PDB file of all heavy atoms in Angstrom:
ATOM      1  N   PRO I  67      92.551 139.090 197.157  1.00 91.00           N
ATOM      2  CA  PRO I  67      92.373 138.752 195.730  1.00 91.00           C
ATOM      3  C   PRO I  67      91.222 137.769 195.542  1.00 91.00           C
ATOM      4  O   PRO I  67      91.133 136.790 196.338  1.00 91.00           O
ATOM      5  CB  PRO I  67      93.670 138.180 195.264  1.00 91.00           C
ATOM      6  CG  PRO I  67      94.502 137.989 196.502  1.00 91.00           C
ATOM      7  CD  PRO I  67      93.871 138.670 197.625  1.00 91.00           C
ATOM      8  N   PRO I  68      90.396 137.927 194.590  1.00 91.00           N
ATOM      9  CA  PRO I  68      89.305 136.977 194.316  1.00 91.00           C
ATOM     10  C   PRO I  68      89.889 135.696 193.729  1.00 91.00           C
ATOM     11  O   PRO I  68      91.050 135.636 193.276  1.00 91.00           O
ATOM     12  CB  PRO I  68      88.443 137.714 193.271  1.00 91.00           C
ATOM     13  CG  PRO I  68      89.296 138.712 192.698  1.00 91.00           C
ATOM     14  CD  PRO I  68      90.382 139.152 193.662  1.00 91.00           C
ATOM     15  N   ILE I  69      89.115 134.663 193.789  1.00 92.00           N
ATOM     16  CA  ILE I  69      89.619 133.330 193.401  1.00 92.00           C
ATOM     17  C   ILE I  69      90.065 133.304 191.927  1.00 92.00           C
ATOM     18  O   ILE I  69      91.012 132.559 191.600  1.00 92.00           O
ATOM     19  CB  ILE I  69      88.544 132.231 193.648  1.00 92.00           C
ATOM     20  CG1 ILE I  69      89.093 130.826 193.521  1.00 92.00           C
ATOM     21  CG2 ILE I  69      87.344 132.468 192.712  1.00 92.00           C
ATOM     22  CD1 ILE I  69      90.050 130.431 194.596  1.00 92.00           C
ATOM     23  N   GLU I  70      89.463 134.127 191.088  1.00 90.00           N
ATOM     24  CA  GLU I  70      89.831 134.209 189.665  1.00 90.00           C
ATOM     25  C   GLU I  70      91.302 134.661 189.560  1.00 90.00           C
ATOM     26  O   GLU I  70      92.036 134.128 188.715  1.00 90.00           O
ATOM     27  CB  GLU I  70      88.912 135.174 188.886  1.00 90.00           C
ATOM     28  CG  GLU I  70      87.500 134.768 188.821  1.00 90.00           C
ATOM     29  CD  GLU I  70      86.691 135.237 190.035  1.00 90.00           C
ATOM     30  OE1 GLU I  70      87.188 135.899 190.926  1.00 90.00           O
ATOM     31  OE2 GLU I  70      85.483 134.925 190.044  1.00 90.00           O
ATOM     32  N   VAL I  71      91.694 135.594 190.371  1.00 94.00           N
ATOM     33  CA  VAL I  71      93.103 136.126 190.308  1.00 94.00           C
ATOM     34  C   VAL I  71      94.014 135.061 190.845  1.00 94.00           C
ATOM     35  O   VAL I  71      95.116 134.873 190.254  1.00 94.00           O
ATOM     36  CB  VAL I  71      93.199 137.435 191.073  1.00 94.00           C
ATOM     37  CG1 VAL I  71      94.618 137.903 191.173  1.00 94.00           C
ATOM     38  CG2 VAL I  71      92.338 138.524 190.408  1.00 94.00           C
ATOM     39  N   ILE I  72      93.664 134.403 191.875  1.00 94.00           N
ATOM     40  CA  ILE I  72      94.553 133.346 192.420  1.00 94.00           C
ATOM     41  C   ILE I  72      94.696 132.159 191.367  1.00 94.00           C
ATOM     42  O   ILE I  72      95.784 131.643 191.193  1.00 94.00           O
ATOM     43  CB  ILE I  72      93.928 132.762 193.724  1.00 94.00           C
ATOM     44  CG1 ILE I  72      94.001 133.865 194.775  1.00 94.00           C
ATOM     45  CG2 ILE I  72      94.653 131.536 194.193  1.00 94.00           C
ATOM     46  CD1 ILE I  72      93.159 133.605 196.062  1.00 94.00           C
ATOM     47  N   PHE I  73      93.618 131.910 190.646  1.00 95.00           N
ATOM     48  CA  PHE I  73      93.709 130.927 189.620  1.00 95.00           C
ATOM     49  C   PHE I  73      94.528 131.386 188.394  1.00 95.00           C
ATOM     50  O   PHE I  73      95.303 130.626 187.810  1.00 95.00           O
ATOM     51  CB  PHE I  73      92.254 130.552 189.139  1.00 95.00           C
ATOM     52  CG  PHE I  73      92.239 129.569 188.000  1.00 95.00           C
ATOM     53  CD1 PHE I  73      92.467 128.244 188.221  1.00 95.00           C
ATOM     54  CD2 PHE I  73      91.930 130.044 186.754  1.00 95.00           C
ATOM     55  CE1 PHE I  73      92.416 127.400 187.143  1.00 95.00           C
ATOM     56  CE2 PHE I  73      91.882 129.160 185.649  1.00 95.00           C
ATOM     57  CZ  PHE I  73      92.123 127.809 185.879  1.00 95.00           C
ATOM     58  N   LEU I  74      94.302 132.622 187.976  1.00 94.00           N
ATOM     59  CA  LEU I  74      94.950 133.156 186.786  1.00 94.00           C
ATOM     60  C   LEU I  74      96.467 133.531 186.964  1.00 94.00           C
ATOM     61  O   LEU I  74      97.188 133.575 186.005  1.00 94.00           O
ATOM     62  CB  LEU I  74      94.219 134.372 186.298  1.00 94.00           C
ATOM     63  CG  LEU I  74      92.839 134.095 185.615  1.00 94.00           C
ATOM     64  CD1 LEU I  74      92.143 135.379 185.261  1.00 94.00           C
ATOM     65  CD2 LEU I  74      93.023 133.257 184.416  1.00 94.00           C
ATOM     66  N   ALA I  75      96.883 133.854 188.213  1.00 96.00           N
ATOM     67  CA  ALA I  75      98.245 134.311 188.409  1.00 96.00           C
ATOM     68  C   ALA I  75      99.280 133.305 187.881  1.00 96.00           C
ATOM     69  O   ALA I  75     100.249 133.687 187.175  1.00 96.00           O
ATOM     70  CB  ALA I  75      98.460 134.616 189.864  1.00 96.00           C
ATOM     71  N   PRO I  76      99.237 132.014 188.272  1.00 96.00           N
ATOM     72  CA  PRO I  76     100.217 131.059 187.775  1.00 96.00           C
ATOM     73  C   PRO I  76     100.155 130.890 186.255  1.00 96.00           C
ATOM     74  O   PRO I  76     101.131 130.710 185.545  1.00 96.00           O
ATOM     75  CB  PRO I  76      99.984 129.792 188.497  1.00 96.00           C
ATOM     76  CG  PRO I  76      98.776 129.991 189.347  1.00 96.00           C
ATOM     77  CD  PRO I  76      98.333 131.413 189.265  1.00 96.00           C
ATOM     78  N   ILE I  77      98.906 130.900 185.754  1.00 96.00           N
ATOM     79  CA  ILE I  77      98.713 130.803 184.250  1.00 96.00           C
ATOM     80  C   ILE I  77      99.391 131.985 183.561  1.00 96.00           C
ATOM     81  O   ILE I  77     100.051 131.781 182.524  1.00 96.00           O
ATOM     82  CB  ILE I  77      97.226 130.643 183.914  1.00 96.00           C
ATOM     83  CG1 ILE I  77      96.681 129.339 184.521  1.00 96.00           C
ATOM     84  CG2 ILE I  77      96.998 130.668 182.416  1.00 96.00           C
ATOM     85  CD1 ILE I  77      95.172 129.172 184.404  1.00 96.00           C
ATOM     86  N   THR I  78      99.212 133.136 184.086  1.00 96.00           N
ATOM     87  CA  THR I  78      99.874 134.306 183.553  1.00 96.00           C
ATOM     88  C   THR I  78     101.325 134.216 183.581  1.00 96.00           C
ATOM     89  O   THR I  78     102.022 134.539 182.574  1.00 96.00           O
ATOM     90  CB  THR I  78      99.395 135.574 184.385  1.00 96.00           C
ATOM     91  OG1 THR I  78      97.965 135.738 184.273  1.00 96.00           O
ATOM     92  CG2 THR I  78     100.062 136.835 183.874  1.00 96.00           C
ATOM     93  N   ALA I  79     101.938 133.697 184.686  1.00 96.00           N
ATOM     94  CA  ALA I  79     103.386 133.497 184.732  1.00 96.00           C
ATOM     95  C   ALA I  79     103.822 132.550 183.724  1.00 96.00           C
ATOM     96  O   ALA I  79     104.865 132.771 183.039  1.00 96.00           O
ATOM     97  CB  ALA I  79     103.750 133.039 186.171  1.00 96.00           C
ATOM     98  N   ILE I  82     103.732 134.201 180.147  1.00 95.00           N
ATOM     99  CA  ILE I  82     104.791 135.138 179.962  1.00 95.00           C
ATOM    100  C   ILE I  82     106.113 134.373 179.812  1.00 95.00           C
ATOM    101  O   ILE I  82     106.936 134.688 178.947  1.00 95.00           O
ATOM    102  CB  ILE I  82     104.843 136.138 181.112  1.00 95.00           C
ATOM    103  CG1 ILE I  82     103.610 137.039 181.089  1.00 95.00           C
ATOM    104  CG2 ILE I  82     106.122 136.988 181.054  1.00 95.00           C
ATOM    105  CD1 ILE I  82     103.432 137.903 182.305  1.00 95.00           C
ATOM    106  N   ALA I  97     103.080 140.010 177.989  1.00 95.00           N
ATOM    107  CA  ALA I  97     103.170 140.466 179.386  1.00 95.00           C
ATOM    108  C   ALA I  97     102.259 141.632 179.604  1.00 95.00           C
ATOM    109  O   ALA I  97     101.535 141.621 180.684  1.00 95.00           O
ATOM    110  CB  ALA I  97     104.604 140.867 179.633  1.00 95.00           C
ATOM    111  N   THR I  98     102.171 142.573 178.664  1.00 95.00           N
ATOM    112  CA  THR I  98     101.259 143.683 178.876  1.00 95.00           C
ATOM    113  C   THR I  98      99.795 143.283 179.008  1.00 95.00           C
ATOM    114  O   THR I  98      99.095 143.672 179.903  1.00 95.00           O
ATOM    115  CB  THR I  98     101.402 144.653 177.682  1.00 95.00           C
ATOM    116  OG1 THR I  98     102.726 145.172 177.635  1.00 95.00           O
ATOM    117  CG2 THR I  98     100.460 145.869 177.818  1.00 95.00           C
ATOM    118  N   ILE I  99      99.404 142.411 178.094  1.00 95.00           N
ATOM    119  CA  ILE I  99      97.997 142.004 178.069  1.00 95.00           C
ATOM    120  C   ILE I  99      97.688 141.102 179.329  1.00 95.00           C
ATOM    121  O   ILE I  99      96.664 141.282 179.981  1.00 95.00           O
ATOM    122  CB  ILE I  99      97.665 141.204 176.789  1.00 95.00           C
ATOM    123  CG1 ILE I  99      97.790 142.165 175.567  1.00 95.00           C
ATOM    124  CG2 ILE I  99      96.286 140.619 176.839  1.00 95.00           C
ATOM    125  CD1 ILE I  99      97.926 141.467 174.247  1.00 95.00           C
ATOM    126  N   SER I 100      98.582 140.199 179.646  1.00 96.00           N
ATOM    127  CA  SER I 100      98.354 139.290 180.731  1.00 96.00           C
ATOM    128  C   SER I 100      98.369 140.014 182.061  1.00 96.00           C
ATOM    129  O   SER I 100      97.461 139.854 182.890  1.00 96.00           O
ATOM    130  CB  SER I 100      99.460 138.127 180.763  1.00 96.00           C
ATOM    131  OG  SER I 100      99.343 137.442 179.582  1.00 96.00           O
ATOM    132  N   LEU I 101      99.425 140.786 182.289  1.00 96.00           N
ATOM    133  CA  LEU I 101      99.507 141.422 183.636  1.00 96.00           C
ATOM    134  C   LEU I 101      98.405 142.579 183.768  1.00 96.00           C
ATOM    135  O   LEU I 101      97.850 142.749 184.842  1.00 96.00           O
ATOM    136  CB  LEU I 101     100.911 142.036 183.810  1.00 96.00           C
ATOM    137  CG  LEU I 101     102.019 140.982 183.958  1.00 96.00           C
ATOM    138  CD1 LEU I 101     103.387 141.702 184.005  1.00 96.00           C
ATOM    139  CD2 LEU I 101     101.818 140.158 185.170  1.00 96.00           C
ATOM    140  N   GLY I 102      98.164 143.292 182.641  1.00 96.00           N
ATOM    141  CA  GLY I 102      97.153 144.284 182.722  1.00 96.00           C
ATOM    142  C   GLY I 102      95.757 143.665 182.966  1.00 96.00           C
ATOM    143  O   GLY I 102      94.966 144.175 183.781  1.00 96.00           O
ATOM    144  N   GLY I 103      95.527 142.557 182.326  1.00 95.00           N
ATOM    145  CA  GLY I 103      94.222 141.873 182.488  1.00 95.00           C
ATOM    146  C   GLY I 103      94.121 141.297 183.918  1.00 95.00           C
ATOM    147  O   GLY I 103      93.047 141.364 184.539  1.00 95.00           O
ATOM    148  N   LEU I 104      95.211 140.811 184.463  1.00 96.00           N
ATOM    149  CA  LEU I 104      95.244 140.293 185.830  1.00 96.00           C
ATOM    150  C   LEU I 104      94.959 141.411 186.830  1.00 96.00           C
ATOM    151  O   LEU I 104      94.167 141.251 187.780  1.00 96.00           O
ATOM    152  CB  LEU I 104      96.583 139.582 186.138  1.00 96.00           C
ATOM    153  CG  LEU I 104      96.661 138.769 187.374  1.00 96.00           C
ATOM    154  CD1 LEU I 104      95.680 137.605 187.326  1.00 96.00           C
ATOM    155  CD2 LEU I 104      98.073 138.310 187.613  1.00 96.00           C
ATOM    156  N   ALA I 105      95.583 142.570 186.611  1.00 96.00           N
ATOM    157  CA  ALA I 105      95.349 143.699 187.503  1.00 96.00           C
ATOM    158  C   ALA I 105      93.885 144.166 187.419  1.00 96.00           C
ATOM    159  O   ALA I 105      93.240 144.447 188.453  1.00 96.00           O
ATOM    160  CB  ALA I 105      96.269 144.869 187.117  1.00 96.00           C
ATOM    161  N   LEU I 106      93.357 144.231 186.239  1.00 96.00           N
ATOM    162  CA  LEU I 106      91.904 144.648 186.112  1.00 96.00           C
ATOM    163  C   LEU I 106      91.031 143.619 186.782  1.00 96.00           C
ATOM    164  O   LEU I 106      90.000 143.983 187.410  1.00 96.00           O
ATOM    165  CB  LEU I 106      91.598 144.812 184.639  1.00 96.00           C
ATOM    166  CG  LEU I 106      92.150 146.054 183.938  1.00 96.00           C
ATOM    167  CD1 LEU I 106      92.020 145.904 182.435  1.00 96.00           C
ATOM    168  CD2 LEU I 106      91.567 147.340 184.494  1.00 96.00           C
ATOM    169  N   ALA I 107      91.330 142.360 186.574  1.00 95.00           N
ATOM    170  CA  ALA I 107      90.562 141.265 187.233  1.00 95.00           C
ATOM    171  C   ALA I 107      90.576 141.399 188.720  1.00 95.00           C
ATOM    172  O   ALA I 107      89.548 141.208 189.417  1.00 95.00           O
ATOM    173  CB  ALA I 107      91.000 139.868 186.767  1.00 95.00           C
ATOM    174  N   TYR I 108      91.807 141.739 189.257  1.00 95.00           N
ATOM    175  CA  TYR I 108      91.851 141.908 190.765  1.00 95.00           C
ATOM    176  C   TYR I 108      91.052 143.100 191.218  1.00 95.00           C
ATOM    177  O   TYR I 108      90.196 142.966 192.109  1.00 95.00           O
ATOM    178  CB  TYR I 108      93.345 142.161 191.184  1.00 95.00           C
ATOM    179  CG  TYR I 108      93.422 142.614 192.607  1.00 95.00           C
ATOM    180  CD1 TYR I 108      93.135 141.760 193.647  1.00 95.00           C
ATOM    181  CD2 TYR I 108      93.661 143.954 192.880  1.00 95.00           C
ATOM    182  CE1 TYR I 108      93.207 142.221 194.988  1.00 95.00           C
ATOM    183  CE2 TYR I 108      93.744 144.388 194.117  1.00 95.00           C
ATOM    184  CZ  TYR I 108      93.477 143.575 195.206  1.00 95.00           C
ATOM    185  OH  TYR I 108      93.494 144.037 196.476  1.00 95.00           O
ATOM    186  N   LEU I 109      91.150 144.207 190.602  1.00 94.00           N
ATOM    187  CA  LEU I 109      90.451 145.429 191.014  1.00 94.00           C
ATOM    188  C   LEU I 109      88.953 145.231 190.924  1.00 94.00           C
ATOM    189  O   LEU I 109      88.168 145.538 191.811  1.00 94.00           O
ATOM    190  CB  LEU I 109      90.895 146.665 190.221  1.00 94.00           C
ATOM    191  CG  LEU I 109      92.346 147.109 190.453  1.00 94.00           C
ATOM    192  CD1 LEU I 109      92.705 148.203 189.421  1.00 94.00           C
ATOM    193  CD2 LEU I 109      92.480 147.664 191.864  1.00 94.00           C
ATOM    194  N   SER I 110      88.482 144.743 189.801  1.00 94.00           N
ATOM    195  CA  SER I 110      87.124 144.542 189.565  1.00 94.00           C
ATOM    196  C   SER I 110      86.578 143.394 190.461  1.00 94.00           C
ATOM    197  O   SER I 110      85.474 143.552 191.127  1.00 94.00           O
ATOM    198  CB  SER I 110      86.799 144.285 188.116  1.00 94.00           C
ATOM    199  OG  SER I 110      85.441 143.925 187.915  1.00 94.00           O
ATOM    200  N   GLY I 111      87.192 142.267 190.434  1.00 93.00           N
ATOM    201  CA  GLY I 111      86.710 141.123 191.153  1.00 93.00           C
ATOM    202  C   GLY I 111      86.745 141.298 192.682  1.00 93.00           C
ATOM    203  O   GLY I 111      85.783 140.900 193.342  1.00 93.00           O
ATOM    204  N   CYS I 135      85.653 146.049 181.846  1.00 95.00           N
ATOM    205  CA  CYS I 135      86.845 145.142 181.742  1.00 95.00           C
ATOM    206  C   CYS I 135      87.100 144.713 180.329  1.00 95.00           C
ATOM    207  O   CYS I 135      88.236 144.722 179.914  1.00 95.00           O
ATOM    208  CB  CYS I 135      86.586 143.879 182.675  1.00 95.00           C
ATOM    209  SG  CYS I 135      87.180 144.110 184.328  1.00 95.00           S
ATOM    210  N   VAL I 139      90.475 145.622 178.427  1.00 96.00           N
ATOM    211  CA  VAL I 139      91.340 144.563 177.894  1.00 96.00           C
ATOM    212  C   VAL I 139      91.558 144.731 176.344  1.00 96.00           C
ATOM    213  O   VAL I 139      92.682 144.581 175.853  1.00 96.00           O
ATOM    214  CB  VAL I 139      90.857 143.208 178.262  1.00 96.00           C
ATOM    215  CG1 VAL I 139      91.615 142.091 177.485  1.00 96.00           C
ATOM    216  CG2 VAL I 139      91.021 142.951 179.789  1.00 96.00           C
ATOM    217  N   LEU I 142      94.071 147.311 176.059  1.00 96.00           N
ATOM    218  CA  LEU I 142      95.372 146.813 176.349  1.00 96.00           C
ATOM    219  C   LEU I 142      95.952 146.013 175.193  1.00 96.00           C
ATOM    220  O   LEU I 142      97.147 146.155 174.847  1.00 96.00           O
ATOM    221  CB  LEU I 142      95.313 145.839 177.528  1.00 96.00           C
ATOM    222  CG  LEU I 142      95.357 146.406 178.941  1.00 96.00           C
ATOM    223  CD1 LEU I 142      95.049 145.370 179.945  1.00 96.00           C
ATOM    224  CD2 LEU I 142      96.660 147.080 179.170  1.00 96.00           C
TER     225      LEU I 142
END
Side-chain angles (χ1 to χ4, degrees):
I69 192 70
E70 297 86 1
V71 173
I72 294 168
F73 175 76
L74 288 174
I77 295 170
T78 299
I82 294 170
T98 298
I99 296 165
S100 299
L101 293 174
L104 192 64
L106 289 167
Y108 167 73
L109 291 171
S110 175
C135 271
V139 170
L142 278 171

